[in-house]
Amino acid sequence: MPICPPTAVGRQLLALFAAHADQVVPSCVVTEELWPQGAPPDATRVLETNLRQLREAIAAALSRRGEDPSIENVLAPVPGGYRLETRGGFSDARAFARTVGASYRTMESGDLAGAAARLREALALWTAAPFADVAQGPHLRAQSALLVTSWERALDHWIDVETRRGRARELCMDLSVLLLRFRSTAPLYERLHSDLLTGHWGADVIRRHIMRRRRATLTVQRGIGQLRGARPPRWDTTAVAAGAGEGAMTPLGGA
């Protein structure tokens, strides 16, 4: 059900509560999100006004659906904070996590086609950046970063599965559509998008992305290894050069 609070603060509150649906959001987290540099003198009034408007907006939406709009079923005040009750309601974030999880289980059973279909379904839920057009304080920014990281992992798993199935060209066609709707701003995915814009779709585009991803991963591993005094693993990239997926890579031991 569409809910659009009338103020920017109200939309920020709704995003924060929705990101932690059915969980208690402490009052201190709400304050930090809205005013990371410190609450203004009228913070209590501003918060109470926007909470009231948010409750009214949610209650009106529930009433239109014939559901109970009482305060306990809208935005429950609890000791030390607030909790948005969804009663098992749908959210894109939950659907994405659930569908990606199902794809991994399907993959473990050896059903690559089924796993690819579920990953494609999960990625299709993304039509914009997390909390688009909503002001973001520290807590929403952190939540947004986690969601984007989940998207990156799901996309790369999908690329790996489809590569193993020998569907590089079809994969490029699907990627060109998905990355127009949303893509991570990380250089790795911007370069993949640029490669796809050339129109030269096929195994070479996917191979370059996998190689760049592996180099980025090794760079991170080397940094961690240096911090810990360990030596990073070397990887056999021969399989990737031949067009195989990440699953074909095997560690060779210390450099």
Side-chain angles (χ1 to χ4, degrees), residues 24 47 49 74 81 90 96 101 112 128 160-161 171 210 213 235 240 251:
V24 175
L47 180 58
T49 298
V74 176
F90 176 87
F96 174 78
L112 295 183
D160 291 341
V161 172
L171 175 60
I210 292 174
R213 186 182 68 199
W235 294 82
V240 176

Side-chain angles (χ1 to χ4, degrees), residues 176-189:
S176 66
V177 174
L178 283 176
L179 296 182
L180 283 176
R181 300 173 69 187
F182 170 78
R183 64 182 178 276
S184 167
T185 57
L188 178 65
Y189 302 96

Side-chain angles (χ1 to χ4, degrees), residues 24-32 47 78-82:
V24 175
V25 179
S27 299
C28 62
V29 169
V30 174
T31 302
E32 290 170 357
L47 180 58
V78 297
Y82 311 90

Side-chain angles (χ1 to χ4, degrees), residues 11-12 14-20 93 128-136 139-145 147:
R11 292 188 287 275
Q12 190 173 0
L14 177 58
L16 179 65
F17 295 140
H20 303 282
F131 314 118
D133 301 323
V134 174
Q136 296 181 29
H139 296 280
L140 280 180
R141 284 197 298 270
Q143 188 67 22
S144 177
L147 289 170

Side-chain angles (χ1 to χ4, degrees), residues 160-173:
D160 291 341
V161 172
E162 292 289 52
T163 302
R164 290 169 62 186
R165 296 180 65 212
R167 301 184 72 254
R169 183 169 180 79
E170 295 87 344
L171 175 60
C172 286
M173 294 174 64

Side-chain angles (χ1 to χ4, degrees), residues 7-230:
T7 67
V9 171
R11 292 188 287 275
Q12 190 173 0
L13 285 170
L14 177 58
L16 179 65
F17 295 140
H20 303 282
D22 300 311
Q23 303 174 29
V24 175
V25 179
S27 299
C28 62
V29 169
V30 174
T31 302
E32 290 170 357
E33 172 63 27
L34 296 178
W35 302 290
Q37 303 303 320
D42 62 344
T44 300
R45 179 188 61 80
V46 171
L47 180 58
E48 289 179 350
T49 298
N50 281 276
L51 284 171
R52 174 178 54 78
Q53 293 175 342
L54 179 55
R55 288 190 177 106
E56 290 172 352
I58 298 175
L62 288 173
S63 295
R64 289 194 296 269
R65 293 180 53 174
E67 299 184 29
D68 181 7
S70 62
I71 190 171
E72 292 79 9
N73 294 325
V74 176
L75 186 55
V78 297
Y82 311 90
R83 182 175 61 239
L84 180 64
E85 299 284 358
T86 67
R87 290 170 287 174
F90 176 87
S91 77
D92 286 343
R94 286 180 173 178
F96 174 78
R98 184 166 53 248
T99 307
V100 169
S103 76
Y104 295 158
R105 292 188 293 273
T106 303
M107 198 182 310
E108 289 172 356
S109 71
D111 182 3
L112 295 183
R118 288 185 178 274
L119 286 166
R120 178 64 175 81
E121 177 186 349
L123 291 164
L125 292 170
W126 288 71
T127 58
F131 314 118
D133 301 323
V134 174
Q136 296 181 29
H139 296 280
L140 280 180
R141 284 197 298 270
Q143 188 67 22
S144 177
L146 288 173
L147 289 170
V148 171
T149 297
S150 297
W151 175 90
E152 292 173 352
R153 290 174 178 170
L155 185 82
D156 284 328
H157 277 294
W158 181 48
I159 289 173
D160 291 341
V161 172
E162 292 289 52
T163 302
R164 290 169 62 186
R165 296 180 65 212
R167 301 184 72 254
R169 183 169 180 79
E170 295 87 344
L171 175 60
C172 286
M173 294 174 64
D174 274 348
L175 282 170
S176 66
V177 174
L178 283 176
L179 296 182
L180 283 176
R181 300 173 69 187
F182 170 78
R183 64 182 178 276
S184 167
T185 57
L188 178 65
Y189 302 96
E190 290 287 3
R191 291 187 66 181
L192 174 60
H193 177 62
S194 296
D195 285 348
L196 291 168
L197 289 178
T198 65
H200 299 298
W201 296 342
D204 286 347
V205 170
I206 303 304
R207 188 181 303 121
R208 285 196 297 271
H209 174 73
I210 292 174
M211 293 294 289
R212 286 194 294 257
R213 186 182 68 199
R214 179 49 54 194
R215 284 196 294 268
T217 301
L218 287 175
T219 299
V220 172
Q221 289 175 338
R222 288 192 181 98
I224 294 174
Q226 289 171 359
L227 288 174
R228 295 178 177 175

